[in-house]
Every structure is written in structure tokens, then in C-alpha cells.
């Protein structure tokens, strides 16, 4: 990590964003940490090494693109089921709007834990207002009708808070 940050160069790399201050701050900190450190933090979480709770908290708060890409790569390319499960479980906590397109793939996975974490990702995205319900109508219908009871239970939870949100309850 550098001793001094070139804020002007960082602003240029980030496109000089000014509107969404928290998102800009998260993107800037992820840039300062760098892809290698972010991927190492994701690995620490996968292995459950000492300090993984802190690494997870940082990744969850930053939601860095590098972590999201790395996690999806682990899911797609890893042969070990437990690592695939942990990758999707972590993606369900740190996913951003770009991960919405992966929900269907997670729901269709033969592993019931990955299916449940696919529904958890949908829950996370909606709960945190990272996507709108009309953007994921197909996925919402899919989890309501899913063969996995845990996925259907998550669907009921999502329906309840979306209904409360719509009616200001």
C-alpha cells in the first residue's frame, strides 16, 4: 500500500465521480488496497483463516468489483464444493447490482446451499436498495416456486418486507 496517495490520479481513474460520496469512497479505498489484496482477503474468507471476520467486514462494506469477479470465478471454476459454497455465501453478502444476473445460475445449481445463497443474494440486493423489484421479477417468481424449501422461505421473507416497503409499514 502506498505511503502517499495521488488523489488527483485516483479521481481520474474513478472518473471524477462526485454524486454518490459513499460509493466513490468505497471505490477509492478498493483502488488503494488493490486487486491483489482484495483477492487475498476473499481467499482468507474462503479458508476461514484467522482474521477472516475482519476481511469479510471490509469486503462487505467496500463491495469491490475485484472481489465480486474473483468470487464468481471461484464459483465457476473451483472443483471443491465447499469453496464454491463459501464463494456464493460471501457474494450474497457483498454483491452489487452487477451480480443480479448470476442469481438464476445460483438457483439452478444442483447444490441446495448454493441455491439458498442465490436467494440470499437476491434478498441482499433488494434489502439494500441496490436493485428494484421490477428488475428481478423473473428471479422473484423463481424463488417463490423453487423446489428448495429454504429458497421458498427466503421468498416469503422478501415478499413480506417488499409489501411493507410498498405500503410504508
Amino acid at each position: 500500500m502506498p505511503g502517499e496517495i495521488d488523489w488527483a490520479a485516483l479521481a481520474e481513474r474513478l472518473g471524477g465521480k462526485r454524486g454518490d460520496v459513499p460509493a466513490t469512497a468505497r471505490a477509492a479505498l478498493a483502488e488503494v488496497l488493490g486487486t491483489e489484496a482484495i483477492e487475498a482477503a476473499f481467499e482468507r474468507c474462503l479458508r476461514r483463516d484467522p482474521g477472516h471476520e475482519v476481511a469479510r467486514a471490509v469486503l462487505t462494506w467496500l463491495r469491490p468489483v475485484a472481489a465480486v469477479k474473483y468470487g464468481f470465478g471461484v464459483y465457476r471454476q473451483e472443483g471443491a464444493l465447499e469453496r464454491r459454497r463459501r464463494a456464493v455465501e460471501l457474494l450474497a453478502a457483498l454483491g452489487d447490482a452487477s451480480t443480479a444476473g448470476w442469481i438464476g445460475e445460483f438457483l439452478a445449481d444442483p447444490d441446495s446451499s448454493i441455491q439458498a445463497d442465490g436467494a440470499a443474494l437476491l434478498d441482499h440486493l433488494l434489502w439494500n436498495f441496490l436493485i428494484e423489484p421490477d428488475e428481478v421479477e423473473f428471479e422473484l417468481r423463481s424463488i417463490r416456486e423453487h423446489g428448495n424449501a429454504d429458497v421458498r422461505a427466503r421468498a416469503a421473507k422478501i415478499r413480506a418486507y417488499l409489501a411493507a416497503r410498498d405500503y410504508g409499514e
Side-chain angles (χ1 to χ4, degrees):
M1 198 159 41
E4 186 172 326
I5 298 167
D6 184 343
W7 294 103
L10 183 57
E12 190 173 310
R13 284 194 305 276
L14 295 175
K17 298 176 186 176
R18 293 185 184 183
D20 185 350
V21 174
T24 301
R26 285 192 299 270
L29 288 173
E31 181 84 15
V32 169
L33 282 173
T35 300
E36 187 176 319
I38 289 168
E39 290 176 354
F42 202 100
E43 273 298 322
R44 179 167 293 277
C45 293
L46 292 178
R47 293 188 310 262
R48 307 271 164 92
D49 287 345
H52 76 273
E53 302 92 346
V54 173
R56 180 188 173 105
V58 169
L59 292 175
T60 301
W61 186 77
L62 287 178
R63 291 193 305 265
V65 172
V68 169
K69 288 180 180 178
Y70 187 80
F72 192 63
V74 169
Y75 165 73
R76 277 262 177 101
Q77 298 166 4
E78 181 65 45
L81 179 58
E82 192 57 34
R83 281 180 54 84
R84 293 177 68 242
R85 285 177 175 164
R86 287 181 181 174
V88 177
E89 184 264 333
L90 188 53
L91 288 171
L94 64 87
D96 60 15
S98 72
T99 61
W102 303 339
I103 294 167
E105 187 170 342
F106 297 151
L107 293 173
D109 193 277
D111 183 71
S112 62
S113 293
I114 290 174
Q115 295 166 3
D117 284 329
L121 173 59
L122 179 59
D123 187 1
H124 161 78
L125 296 174
L126 290 165
W127 180 259
N128 290 291
F129 296 88
L130 298 172
I131 56 172
E132 293 296 323
D134 62 346
E135 297 175 75
V136 287
E137 288 178 11
F138 177 79
E139 290 82 356
L140 286 167
R141 188 171 46 257
S142 294
I143 65 171
R144 275 195 313 269
E145 301 166 356
H146 203 277
N148 181 329
D150 291 334
V151 171
R152 289 192 312 276
R154 180 74 66 150
K157 175 185 166 196
I158 293 170
R159 269 196 318 274
Y161 75 69
L162 288 178
R165 183 189 301 175
D166 287 344
Y167 294 107
E169 296 176 9

